[in-house]
Amino acid sequence: MIVSIKNTKYPAVRVRDRKFLFQILDLLSQAIQQFGKTYVQTFIDLNNLKEKMIAIQNLISEEV
């Protein structure tokens, strides 16, 4: 989703992918609450994810 948001030239694709990305982030947040950050980090590099989210911050905060 992050790569798609970053590379697309179509606003509609960005809106669609932003919606899915936020759903995934919500599920990730729930997993961290339930299982703990250390356990989740064995599957997902949370630091890398944070860096990528910061990189596309201006693209996902735009209103269409």
Side-chain angles (χ1 to χ4, degrees):
M1 292 292 120
I2 291 173
V3 172
S4 176
I5 290 169
K6 193 175 190 179
N7 294 333
T8 190
K9 60 183 179 179
Y10 303 109
V13 172
R14 192 172 294 126
V15 168
R16 179 198 66 198
D17 290 348
R18 178 177 56 197
K19 177 183 173 188
F20 289 135
L21 178 61
F22 285 145
Q23 289 174 342
I24 292 167
L25 291 174
D26 183 49
L27 290 172
L28 183 59
S29 176
Q30 290 176 35
I32 290 170
Q33 288 176 358
Q34 176 131 7
F35 301 110
K37 186 175 181 178
T38 304
Y39 182 74
V40 172
Q41 195 141 8
T42 62
F43 299 97
I44 299 172
D45 184 353
L46 297 176
N47 293 326
N48 186 19
L49 178 61
K50 182 178 178 180
E51 289 174 12
K52 289 181 178 185
M53 289 297 297
I54 290 170
I56 65 164
Q57 183 176 358
N58 62 328
L59 296 174
I60 59 176
S61 63
E62 293 177 352
E63 293 294 324
V64 176

